[in-house]
Amino acid sequence: MKWFKNYKYKGLTLVFISILLTIFLSKYNLLNEGLFKLKDTPFLGSFIAGILYVSASTAVLGIFVILDLAKTISPIEIAIIAGLGAVVADFVLFLFFKGYLISEITPIYNKLGGRHLTRLMYHKYFRWSLPIVGAIIIASPIPDELGISLMGLTKIKNYQFITLSLILNITGIFVLILAFLLINPAPSP
């Protein structure tokens, strides 16, 4: 394991392995069937659906589980619990991006001439938009990786990110559920 300790691209390798694992798991319905059985434990199901809601590889599955749970429990309860799950996943991604990925991607980025883009991103007229665009992406059903990476480029503190992510995810999930319920109202008994 000494070679792994000295290995330069641990974060990028982990991203690649997680993509391969997601592709592998998507070939089997076992994962999908198990997640839809979470309807029997709606609070745990909401939390896990919130975790799935943030990643590009699992967002669709997370949305389906959230919308399936919306048929049985209150939209506010789902939004709060799934929002907490989404914050946990967002914060792990935020720390991973800020810790590993930035240090691994920066040399590659610089070799490809990225300094020009960096100067543009930190221009006084463009710099203020990074957190706003990141926040919009986190609040939307679009997977959060891009929004998290934009916010990771700013000097946002961990507690600020957690607070903002919680508010945005709860709001985004609640709006998603309300839109679903307006389009697909529950049948009357």
Side-chain angles (χ1 to χ4, degrees):
M1 282 303 197
K2 189 174 187 178
W3 67 270
F4 189 72
K5 185 177 181 181
N6 297 328
Y7 183 58
K8 192 174 182 179
Y9 299 108
K10 292 176 192 155
L12 289 173
T13 303
L14 186 60
V15 169
F16 181 70
I17 290 171
S18 69
I19 291 169
L20 290 177
L21 183 64
T22 302
I23 292 170
F24 176 75
L25 289 175
S26 68
K27 300 268 186 206
Y28 301 101
N29 283 338
L30 181 67
L31 180 64
N32 296 347
E33 291 171 9
L35 286 173
F36 283 103
K37 288 184 181 176
L38 289 173
K39 197 183 333 183
D40 300 335
T41 55
F43 295 116
L44 177 63
S46 296
F47 188 79
I48 291 172
I51 291 172
L52 296 172
Y53 177 77
V54 302
S55 175
S57 55
T58 59
V60 172
L61 190 56
I63 290 170
F64 283 145
V65 172
I66 287 170
L67 296 180
D68 191 43
L69 288 167
K71 297 173 188 173
T72 58
I73 61 175
S74 162
I76 293 173
E77 289 175 331
I78 296 171
I80 291 171
I81 296 168
L84 289 170
V87 167
V88 169
D90 276 349
F91 189 59
V92 168
L93 288 171
F94 179 73
L95 291 177
F96 180 72
F97 182 80
K98 242 181 160 172
Y100 284 109
L101 246 33
I102 289 283
S103 62
E104 292 177 14
I105 293 174
T106 301
I108 298 167
Y109 175 77
N110 288 338
K111 282 183 183 177
L112 297 173
R115 289 186 182 99
H116 302 295
L117 182 59
T118 302
R119 272 187 268 164
L120 175 67
M121 285 179 14
Y122 287 105
H123 190 273
K124 65 181 178 179
Y125 296 115
F126 191 68
R127 178 182 46 220
W128 62 268
S129 67
L130 289 177
I132 293 171
V133 172
I136 291 169
I137 291 171
I138 289 174
S140 73
I142 298 170
D144 292 357
E145 284 96 339
L146 180 60
I148 292 168
S149 62
L150 289 175
M151 296 189 89
L153 293 173
T154 65
K155 292 181 174 30
I156 191 168
K157 293 177 177 44
N158 290 348
Y159 75 90
Q160 292 171 324
F161 177 79
I162 290 170
T163 304
L164 186 61
S165 177
L166 181 64
I167 293 166
L168 293 171
N169 279 308
I170 289 173
T171 304
I173 292 169
F174 185 71
V175 168
L176 175 75
I177 294 169
L178 286 183
F180 171 73
L181 293 175
L182 285 174
I183 293 170
N184 189 14
S188 55

